[in-house]
Amino acid sequence: MKAADLLGGQVHDLLAAPNPPLAAILDQLPAAVVIAEAPSGKIVFSNRQVERLLGVRPVAAGVAEHREWVSWTADGRRREPADLAMPRALRGETV
């Protein structure tokens, strides 16, 4: 799902609002959540689970920085950055 489609394009308003209810809810989820602007790839939100998994909250000003992200498959093979969910979603794929 594209961030612009989420909640009728009001994601930025909800995340930036004082005491943002959406950010508070997303921060409590047991799954890692990252929201980026399309098509730039600038990260506008990541929750605590992302920080727990990576050790830091990811910061990316654009798609080019997503290439620096490293992950592995369940069987230990390195996953290509272009195959990660965020770059795929920014290319218009449904992930």
Side-chain angles (χ1 to χ4, degrees):
M1 175 176 283
K2 296 177 183 172
D5 297 335
L6 191 65
L7 300 173
Q10 298 173 344
V11 172
H12 294 294
D13 294 341
L14 289 170
L15 292 173
N19 301 311
L22 179 60
I25 292 167
L26 294 175
D27 227 19
Q28 299 302 316
L29 291 175
V33 176
V34 177
I35 299 175
E37 292 177 347
S40 72
K42 178 183 176 185
I43 293 177
V44 295
F45 177 83
S46 64
N47 70 354
R48 283 189 253 182
Q49 290 299 333
V50 175
E51 185 174 2
R52 187 182 68 77
L53 290 169
L54 301 178
V56 295
R57 292 232 178 170
V59 176
V63 175
E65 293 178 29
H66 295 194
R67 292 186 200 111
E68 299 172 9
W69 298 353
V70 178
S71 74
W72 290 266
T73 62
D75 63 1
R77 292 179 291 124
R78 184 177 172 151
R79 188 181 314 265
E80 292 298 318
D83 294 333
L84 297 173
M86 183 67 67
R88 289 177 49 212
L90 290 168
R91 289 193 305 265
E93 292 182 42
T94 300
V95 294

